[in-house]
Amino acid sequence: MSVKLKQAKETKKNKPLAVLLQQPDDASGYCRNQEEEAYVKRKLEENAEVVSINQYERMLYLIAPAHSKSGHLKKEHFRKIGYKLAQAARNEKLSSLYLYSSHKEDATDLMAVAEGLLLSLYQFNQYKSTQDSRAVLEILYLCSPKLDKVELEELEHVVAGTCYARDLVNEPAIALNAVLLGKSLKKAGKDAGFKVDVLGKDKIKALKMGGLLAVNAGSVDPPTFNVLEYKPANAINKKPYVLVGKGVTYDTGGLSLKPSGSMTIMKSDMGGAAAVAGLFTAVAKSKLPLYLVGLIPATDNRPGGNAITPGDVISISDGTTVEVLNTDAEGRLILADALVYAKKYKPELVIDLATLTGAAVMSLGKEGAAVMGNVDEAQMLALKEAGNQTYERLVEFPLWDEYRDQLKSDIADLKNIGGRMAGAITAGMFLKQFTDYPWIHLDIAGTAYLESPDHYKGKNGTGAGVRLLYQFFKSLAK
Ligand code: BES
Ligand code: ZN
Ligand code: ZN
């Protein structure tokens, strides 16, 4: 993240200022004359939530939400106001901005505006020959009687983690194969303070990770299996929380080739891996007292010379045989090896994140992720609550035993596809076969990548999963 976030005791004269009004009448305290007051009043009546006034020596932004909401809906509303403010700051080419709230009880609204604002300023422009001439804000000062320094730093780390995840997703496959992903993770670990082990093809063979090797068979580039570890001395858990991220750096579908229209966005098929990476940077920088392990199986999925063919039977690292009837259902194959690997940690909980199925996109679109698992209701509820708080909402799909029938193979233990129905669930059922611990699966196929802009989430890689999981782990660390 290029924008610096700072705490300010008071606002500065002549510097661009945005004020969260406690009530619309408070506007008069910031206006220079009756004309300005009348203008603000009219704009607020028209439901403009951010009113801009050019006061010559400074730009002034007066903020008042048009609707009264409460709880997490209010928080999201303020994030979206942050997005409007970011647009205004961009148009005016502001290099700094003071964001002020006089609220006496808490700084929740202010923090939400700041979050939305910072997330909206993200840009991915390393491949542009000419840079966007509109300057991006360099520094944001937050000013409130109730500001908490720790929360401020956390916000900075979570936004940076989200932006790192976005960068990884936006990076084209030519610049981010499995080996380069491993390198990026190593560097991120060094900078933030967590360990990264990048296992290469020989080690992957020795571990008999037949799922990862099968998906990689049609590729020129070797696979990697990346093991992240964050283990602070003050960790409150002995057994780790394990995060697994699907790291398909490009999904052509393999020999079950995707139609070109569905292939264009498939550099985003490592959105789960990106979320794990972004989460680790945020958790490590904020020094949450939790022991976390991250597992990222990574490869591209291509139809090259040795590519597996529909009908091939492969073995996952625990010996389970799988008849691969569609090479485009590759995510579950590499995740199976990672879920088996997770067993050796005797984990407290495993959460996997994967851009796994088109069926999840069909069900929920971009508005939420599908969640499944074998944990008790309280734990699921805690994650859903984190989903509401971050507005990365989750909808639970059932993993009823009956769905497993769709995965019966004539010649192997399992086949890798179910029927036409309930595709997100049969994918979840496939993964379940490889777990013997508390486990939650998040299908983020609809939320990891956007083809048209959506407020502060922007366009292209969204960093989905980072804010959600940070919030979840923060609630556990309390
Ligand atoms: N990576 C895709 C899922 C996907 C679809 C992600 C759309 C993001 C947007 C996955 O590997 C895939 O191709 N799944 C198939 C499975 C099917 C062959 C059983 C699908 O969902 O069509
Ligand atoms: Zn696929
Ligand atoms: Zn895929």
Side-chain angles (χ1 to χ4, degrees):
M1 186 184 60
S2 49
V3 193
K4 276 213 187 73
L5 192 55
K6 281 211 171 139
Q7 187 166 4
K9 282 229 169 61
E10 47 199 34
T11 61
K12 274 232 168 71
K13 238 183 141 192
N14 301 341
K15 291 282 181 194
L17 171 66
V19 181
L20 253 79
L21 298 174
Q22 297 312 311
Q23 51 235 349
D25 285 352
D26 292 351
S28 58
Y30 298 93
C31 294
R32 293 173 306 179
N33 50 46
Q34 282 176 344
E35 282 80 19
E36 279 186 7
E37 264 180 61
Y39 172 74
V40 173
K41 191 161 181 258
R42 181 163 56 81
K43 282 287 174 191
L44 291 180
E45 275 165 10
E46 288 169 9
N47 282 349
E49 304 192 295
V50 179
V51 184
S52 321
I53 308 178
N54 185 340
Q55 294 184 320
Y56 300 113
E57 76 276 12
R58 72 165 178 206
M59 281 302 299
L60 174 67
Y61 303 96
L62 296 174
I63 300 168
H67 315 280
S68 59
K69 292 181 174 152
S70 62
H72 69 270
L73 296 177
K74 184 177 177 201
K75 226 165 147 178
E76 176 66 359
H77 194 118
F78 276 108
R79 284 187 200 104
K80 288 185 174 166
I81 286 179
Y83 165 71
K84 286 190 183 177
L85 199 52
Q87 282 180 311
R90 212 173 256 192
N91 290 339
E92 287 297 329
K93 301 183 180 175
L94 301 185
S95 58
S96 73
L97 177 65
Y98 281 78
L99 181 56
Y100 173 71
S101 160
S102 63
H103 205 292
K104 295 280 183 302
E105 272 115 62
D106 65 78
T108 319
D109 301 347
L110 183 89
M111 292 297 279
V113 174
E115 184 180 16
L117 174 62
L118 295 173
L119 289 169
S120 303
L121 292 173
Y122 172 81
Q123 282 180 311
F124 184 77
N125 50 18
Q126 45 267 54
Y127 295 102
K128 294 266 191 200
S129 312
T130 47
Q131 300 294 315
D132 190 339
S133 63
R134 286 173 302 176
V136 183
L137 207 65
E138 282 161 21
I139 188 154
L140 176 66
Y141 295 98
L142 297 190
C143 190
S144 137
K146 279 288 163 190
L147 213 59
D148 179 312
K149 189 160 180 286
V150 175
E151 270 184 34
L152 196 87
E153 282 171 6
E154 270 187 312
L155 176 63
E156 194 162 5
H157 299 151
V158 172
V159 170
T162 305
C163 292
Y164 175 43
R166 289 177 178 181
D167 277 347
L168 286 173
V169 167
N170 291 335
E171 198 61 66
I174 194 169
L176 195 81
N177 59 28
V179 173
L180 294 170
L181 175 61
K183 281 201 175 132
S184 175
L185 295 170
K186 271 231 175 238
K187 182 176 179 308
K190 209 167 162 217
D191 293 347
F194 58 89
K195 241 179 72 182
V196 179
D197 239 343
V198 182
L199 312 186
K201 192 168 179 180
D202 289 345
K203 189 78 212 254
I204 292 167
K205 276 188 186 158
L207 289 164
K208 299 193 164 55
M209 292 186 165
L212 182 53
L213 289 165
V215 176
N216 182 252
S219 171
V220 173
D221 298 319
T224 59
F225 188 83
N226 305 276
V227 183
L228 287 55
E229 189 187 76
Y230 171 66
K231 194 176 188 181
N234 64 346
I236 56 170
N237 55 318
K238 282 235 154 52
K239 300 189 288 179
Y241 292 99
V242 177
L243 285 311
V244 176
K246 172 177 171 182
V248 172
T249 55
Y250 198 87
D251 185 9
T252 68
L255 281 175
S256 314
L257 198 65
K258 282 185 186 294
S260 17
S262 338
M263 211 192 286
T264 49
I265 66 162
M266 280 302 140
K267 66 174 182 181
S268 68
D269 212 17
M270 29 59 71
V276 172
L279 173 76
F280 266 70
T281 62
V283 167
K285 285 192 207 161
S286 301
K287 301 192 164 49
L288 287 190
L290 290 172
Y291 172 23
L292 300 186
V293 167
L295 303 175
I296 298 177
T299 176
D300 48 342
N301 180 26
R302 287 187 201 257
N306 280 324
I308 46 163
T309 58
D312 276 349
V313 175
I314 63 158
S315 294
I316 304 300
S317 42
D318 67 347
T320 304
T321 57
V322 179
E323 186 184 11
V324 180
L325 289 175
N326 189 320
T327 63
D328 197 12
E330 84 297 339
R332 62 198 76 183
L333 302 177
I334 70 170
L335 289 170
D337 278 327
L339 292 171
V340 169
Y341 192 89
K343 288 183 186 178
K344 74 171 192 176
Y345 293 99
K346 307 237 174 312
E348 186 70 42
L349 169 69
V350 176
I351 303 180
D352 78 70
L353 298 102
T355 48
L356 202 60
T357 65
V361 191
M362 287 303 187
S363 309
L364 301 169
K366 66 176 172 60
E367 304 306 340
V371 61
M372 291 153 250
N374 61 14
V375 296
D376 59 33
E377 255 174 60
Q379 206 151 29
M380 198 52 111
L381 204 64
L383 188 64
K384 285 180 190 167
E385 180 53 25
N388 287 339
Q389 288 303 328
T390 52
Y391 224 61
E392 290 201 48
R393 290 167 297 179
L394 303 175
V395 178
E396 187 171 357
F397 287 3
L399 290 180
W400 295 321
D401 284 344
E402 287 74 6
Y403 288 114
R404 192 176 302 121
D405 296 344
Q406 290 195 33
L407 297 172
K408 280 187 182 147
S409 158
D410 291 338
I411 62 167
D413 299 335
L414 286 172
K415 59 181 181 178
N416 77 330
I417 50 168
R420 268 165 39 81
M421 305 295 179
I425 296 175
T426 48
M429 284 309 281
F430 184 92
L431 300 180
K432 188 166 185 259
Q433 297 299 308
F434 302 93
T435 64
D436 65 357
Y437 39 66
W439 159 74
I440 295 175
H441 160 57
L442 294 168
D443 193 331
I444 58 169
T447 57
Y449 194 88
L450 300 177
E451 290 189 86
S452 50
D454 182 7
H455 299 91
Y456 61 88
K457 291 180 187 164
K459 201 181 161 188
N460 307 333
T462 60
V466 177
R467 292 187 309 115
L468 166 75
L469 289 181
Y470 189 88
Q471 175 80 23
F472 176 68
F473 283 116
K474 191 183 155 178
S475 75
L476 292 183
K478 271 199 180 132

